[in-house]
Amino acid sequence: MKRIRCPKCENYLQFDETKYGEGQSLVFVCEHCGKQFSIRLGKTKMRAPQKEECPDEEEFKDALGSITVIENVFGFKQVLPLQEGDNVIGRRCVGTNINTPIETSDMSMDRRHCIINVKRNKQGGLAYTLRDAPSLTGTFLNNEILGDKDRIRIEDGAIVTIGATTFILRSGASEESGKQ
């Protein structure tokens, strides 16, 4: 069975791809929103969706770090890279422009929930700062809720909970080389 996502509501639809040949066009109607759309079967140029993989937590170790989203009833395990500057973290949703979207059905997570700022300190190491976006349910660092104006420095292994979803910060390699 193959899964495709509705371009309007992002609901998943399943179909048996073995019944159809390469190059054949299929038309679907989303059961959730009623949107009609078509696809053409063929060899994909995209990489496999992360749900069917075992994401490598060490993949972004040489970059600026990453967050590892822990699998729960709302979503699968994900490893999302961080970039320099503000990384806005929240629930992936059509029309919401954030740079670190978590694919989840956790409605207690805001679309823009929290922000991790990554910057280099004077020694060239990486510094990570966590703050709430602000969100409706709050952002928790090691089970302690952050205040609206809090800016908390976090280190490798910091456990952050947003809504019912938890992720762990994995710092980049240059952090250790910058410490004295």
Side-chain angles (χ1 to χ4, degrees):
M1 294 296 275
K2 198 150 193 93
R3 289 174 27 142
I4 57 168
R5 186 180 297 186
C6 172
K8 183 176 180 185
C9 69
E10 295 196 341
N11 192 40
Y12 283 106
L13 298 130
Q14 287 187 332
F15 71 99
D16 186 3
E17 76 277 10
T18 59
K19 294 181 179 179
Y20 308 99
E22 191 173 318
Q24 190 171 357
S25 290
L26 303 176
V27 177
F28 294 92
V29 176
C30 179
E31 305 145 1
H32 190 258
C33 70
K35 168 81 173 160
Q36 183 176 339
F37 61 98
S38 63
I39 64 166
R40 181 177 296 238
L41 293 178
K43 292 188 179 174
T44 182
K45 294 177 181 150
M46 295 174 54
R47 64 186 205 93
Q50 207 171 15
K51 286 181 194 61
E52 298 166 6
E53 302 172 354
C54 285
D56 181 14
E57 292 183 38
E58 301 294 316
E59 182 178 356
F60 304 106
K61 191 72 175 157
D62 294 333
L64 296 170
S66 64
I67 61 171
T68 301
V69 180
I70 298 172
E71 184 173 352
N72 63 16
V73 296
F74 298 109
F76 53 91
K77 179 180 177 180
Q78 301 167 64
V79 178
L80 305 169
L82 297 175
Q83 60 190 27
E84 199 157 359
D86 282 347
N87 294 274
V88 182
I89 301 168
R91 187 177 78 245
R92 183 183 188 279
C93 193
V94 175
T96 303
N97 189 15
I98 57 175
N99 51 9
T100 315
I102 297 175
E103 242 183 272
T104 183
S105 61
D106 178 5
M107 296 308 284
S108 62
M109 181 193 308
D110 288 11
R111 293 175 183 184
R112 296 173 54 88
H113 201 105
C114 68
I115 299 165
I116 294 179
N117 181 276
V118 180
K119 66 180 183 180
R120 297 205 179 273
N121 59 24
K122 291 177 182 171
Q123 293 81 24
L126 293 172
Y128 300 90
T129 307
L130 174 69
R131 69 182 192 266
D132 197 39
S135 63
L136 293 173
T137 56
T139 299
F140 293 80
L141 175 63
N142 299 325
N143 294 327
E144 296 286 327
I145 192 165
L146 272 62
D148 286 344
K149 305 227 185 282
D150 285 351
R151 306 283 189 271
I152 307 291
R153 177 72 52 91
I154 57 175
E155 303 286 331
D156 183 56
I159 299 171
V160 179
T161 303
I162 55 177
T165 303
T166 301
F167 65 82
I168 301 170
L169 174 73
R170 297 292 178 211
S171 62
S174 58
E175 182 179 35
E176 285 76 32
S177 64
K179 288 183 180 175
Q180 292 180 331

